[in-house]
Amino acid sequence: MEKKNKVAYLGVLTALALIFSYVESLIPVYFAVPGIKLGLANVVVVLVLYQMGVKEAYLVSTVRVILAGFMFGNLMSILFSLAGCSLSIFAMYFIYKKPSFSVIGVSVIGAVFHNLGQVIVAMIIVESFSVMYYFAVLMVSGVVTGIIIGIVVVEMRKRLKINVR
Amino acid sequence: MKKNDFVLIGIVLLCAVTFYIGYNFYMGDGETVVVTVDGIEYGVYDLSENQTVVIGEEGSNILEIKDGLAYMVEANCPDGLCLHQASISKNRESIICLPNRVVVEVRSVEESEYDVIAQ
């Protein structure tokens, strides 16, 4: 695949991730624990990780976080998401090449570590360990949303013929 | 899904449950509410006494303590997430308002004595 095609795909997929962020910002989610959300943009990140590679996935994820932060969030949310998405990609990269894990497992790991990154930043900002209490709930929500996102990615991979390496 | 996926999900859920039980075991009922702004202690309030606490010099958040439960009733931040957090009463439970950097934490008296000793 030519380089210009790859750039075009990356652009389209980043735009898709941004749209997912926007859609998600329209859904108000209020639970006892803040931070629970579907993580729709992760669909694109996991998809890019499998179809294009880890560098591209990190690129799409970071650009998405920064742009979405400026459009729908604030500086604080950028900081949170950056920590979350970096840790998440790092964790997914560790297991996605292993044939013993499927897309769903990778997506679950990504979701859980995304939450872990945010909890760590929250602990640093408020200078308190009590935030860790939320992590138990966030782990469970990460597993649930991770499975949903994983299933979506499996279906997308069947239908989309993106394969740029 | 493959076998390792289930193992992974199992481990994560097990961690969550252990974490939750450990935390609840570690906690007990608390007696005081400690309000921290920007990492600096703002004030200590009695949980058994019904009262309304205005936090911050400009009154960025308002905390209500009623019937042994503490909860946030007002916040000037745009998202207002702390208003939706569950009310707290157990030791080490907390309500956090990140935009205003306000942490409301329940502590038991015994532990604050330890804290004093540790200092």
Side-chain angles (χ1 to χ4, degrees):
Chain A
M1 187 75 73
E2 283 173 61
K3 200 179 176 186
K4 60 182 178 189
N5 283 351
K6 189 173 174 176
V7 173
Y9 269 125
L10 282 178
V12 169
L13 289 166
T14 309
L16 185 63
L18 263 179
I19 292 167
F20 279 148
S21 301
Y22 175 63
V23 170
E24 203 164 84
S25 73
L26 294 179
I27 310 169
V29 199
Y30 291 122
F31 287 103
V33 173
I36 294 182
K37 52 180 190 173
L38 196 47
L40 271 176
N42 243 20
V43 169
V44 177
V45 176
V46 179
L47 187 73
V48 172
L49 178 72
Y50 270 94
Q51 305 301 111
M52 296 167 93
V54 68
K55 265 187 271 173
E56 286 78 2
Y58 190 63
L59 196 67
V60 168
S61 185
T62 314
V63 170
R64 194 276 302 181
V65 162
I66 292 170
L67 289 179
F70 277 119
M71 286 196 279
F72 326 116
N74 48 45
L75 211 60
M76 198 76 104
S77 68
I78 294 178
L79 191 69
F80 271 85
S81 302
L82 272 183
C85 83
S86 305
L87 205 61
S88 153
I89 297 244
F90 193 66
M92 289 195 286
Y93 175 64
F94 257 104
I95 68 162
Y96 95 104
K97 275 186 176 158
K98 294 200 172 84
S100 50
F101 284 103
S102 77
V103 183
I104 294 172
V106 170
S107 167
V108 167
I109 272 278
V112 170
F113 275 79
H114 200 284
N115 289 340
L116 178 65
Q118 301 197 329
V119 168
I120 290 173
V121 173
M123 275 199 317
I124 294 167
I125 288 178
V126 300
E127 295 170 24
S128 160
F129 278 103
S130 32
V131 191
M132 271 317 251
Y133 176 64
Y134 296 141
F135 190 50
V137 186
L138 285 175
M139 271 201 275
V140 178
S141 86
V143 167
V144 176
T145 59
I147 292 172
I148 296 169
I149 298 299
I151 292 169
V152 173
V153 175
V154 169
E155 293 304 313
M156 276 176 92
R157 284 185 78 199
K158 280 185 204 158
R159 287 163 177 79
L160 290 173
K161 295 280 173 279
I162 310 169
N163 215 337
V164 197
R165 282 256 167 206
Chain B
M1 274 170 95
K2 290 174 186 164
K3 196 184 147 205
N4 269 10
D5 291 340
F6 290 107
V7 174
L8 175 83
I9 290 167
I11 291 172
V12 172
L13 290 180
L14 202 70
C15 280
V17 170
T18 321
F19 217 84
Y20 188 74
I21 293 172
Y23 218 99
N24 269 307
F25 187 70
Y26 181 59
M27 294 191 302
D29 282 332
E31 289 95 37
T32 56
V33 179
V34 180
V35 178
T36 318
V37 181
D38 226 344
I40 302 156
E41 196 166 295
Y42 179 80
V44 181
Y45 308 93
D46 195 346
L47 197 58
S48 56
E49 201 179 308
N50 288 356
Q51 55 190 321
T52 308
V53 182
V54 179
I55 302 165
E57 271 141 38
E58 289 126 37
S60 60
N61 297 66
I62 295 171
L63 178 79
E64 177 102 23
I65 300 173
K66 204 177 171 190
D67 304 326
L69 291 169
Y71 50 94
M72 210 66 103
V73 284
E74 233 178 281
N76 65 0
C77 52
D79 51 7
L81 279 178
C82 55
L83 304 176
H84 297 275
Q85 289 180 36
S87 44
I88 53 172
S89 62
K90 281 189 166 170
N91 189 22
R92 294 261 155 196
E93 275 188 318
S94 59
I95 297 176
I96 288 152
C97 172
L98 273 177
N100 294 334
R101 294 183 178 193
V102 171
V103 179
V104 179
E105 198 178 35
V106 177
R107 294 216 184 128
S108 72
V109 172
E110 283 169 45
E111 195 169 308
S112 45
E113 274 169 10
Y114 285 132
D115 277 353
V116 171
I117 293 165
Q119 279 166 3

